[in-house]
């Protein structure tokens, strides 16, 4: 009975720790969108790991953190970031809880529904984004037409 009680306590504490990590990662992602929307350059990029990669909607947009900062700086300096409002988010963890990955659906005024996916790593007790990938989900009903349009401009 003593062992059963100990096992239950361990399971409850592990579950609470997982819930805490989930809330923390969720908070980092919410901060990412908030600081982008308010063009808070330093706070926004502090959320990224130094080794981070940002992958944009265009196939040519695969940027290191340094390259992404260079892209974002002129926009943020003018007080114009970008606003993506999360609608739905799923977060997953590695067994050791040091890596998290996610997918989220977002609303954007000019692009409409978009999808963000990415990876966070936990270093020295802090979660950092190491990859973010922004895409525009294409409904299956128009995928062939969109693919033909892309082929036509290549």
């Amino acid at each position: 009975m003593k062992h059963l009680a100990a096992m239950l306590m361990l399971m409850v504490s592990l579950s609470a720790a997982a819930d805490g990590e989930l809330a923390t990662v969720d908070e980092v992602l919410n901060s990412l969108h908030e600081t982008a929307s308010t063009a808070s350059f330093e706070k926004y990029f502090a959320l990224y790991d130094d080794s981070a990669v940002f992958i944009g909607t265009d196939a040519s947009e695969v940027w290191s953190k340094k390259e992404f900062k260079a892209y974002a700086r002129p926009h943020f300096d003018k007080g114009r970031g970008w606003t993506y409002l999360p609608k739905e988010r799923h977060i997953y963890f590695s067994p050791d809880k040091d890596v998290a990955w996610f997918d989220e659906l977002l609303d954007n005024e000019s692009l409409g529904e978009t999808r963000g996916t990415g990876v966070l790593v936990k270093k020295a007790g802090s979660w950092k984004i190491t990859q973010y990938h922004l895409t525009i989900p294409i409904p299956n009903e128009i995928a062939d037409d969109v693919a033909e349009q892309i082929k036509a401009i290549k």
Side-chain angles (χ1 to χ4, degrees):
M1 191 63 143
K2 217 181 213 184
H3 294 291
L4 181 59
M7 286 286 284
L8 286 173
M9 290 295 288
L10 178 62
M11 288 173 58
V12 167
S13 67
L14 288 175
S15 177
D19 288 346
E21 295 298 342
L22 180 70
T24 303
V25 169
D26 196 49
E27 195 175 296
V28 169
L29 295 171
N30 287 337
S31 292
L32 179 77
H33 297 304
E34 181 183 333
T35 56
S37 185
T38 59
S40 301
F41 187 85
E42 297 302 329
K43 289 179 181 177
Y44 179 77
F45 282 101
L47 297 168
Y48 287 91
D49 187 68
D50 288 339
S51 66
V53 174
F54 182 91
I55 304 168
T57 57
D58 189 276
S60 68
E61 297 172 341
V62 180
W63 296 321
S64 67
K65 181 178 178 179
K66 181 180 177 182
E67 293 166 328
F68 188 38
K69 286 173 88 170
Y71 166 81
R73 173 65 81 182
H75 301 285
F76 280 48
D77 283 351
K78 293 175 189 166
R80 291 194 317 249
W82 37 84
T83 301
Y84 290 86
L85 302 172
K87 298 189 323 182
E88 181 181 323
R89 181 180 291 150
H90 305 102
I91 300 171
Y92 313 91
F93 292 92
S94 64
D96 64 3
K97 303 287 189 267
D98 284 340
V99 177
W101 58 97
F102 66 92
D103 63 88
E104 57 185 2
L105 290 177
L106 309 158
D107 274 330
N108 175 268
E109 190 175 315
S110 63
L111 297 177
E113 184 174 75
T114 60
R115 173 176 287 136
T117 61
V119 179
L120 294 90
V121 292
K122 190 175 184 183
K123 291 185 175 178
S126 180
W127 286 100
K128 297 289 184 176
I129 298 162
T130 191
Q131 182 188 75
Y132 194 93
H133 186 182
L134 181 66
T135 62
I136 302 169
I138 301 168
N140 290 333
E141 296 80 16
I142 63 169
D144 289 339
D145 293 337
V146 172
E148 288 304 317
Q149 289 178 46
I150 293 169
K151 290 176 192 175
I153 63 171
K154 295 286 177 177

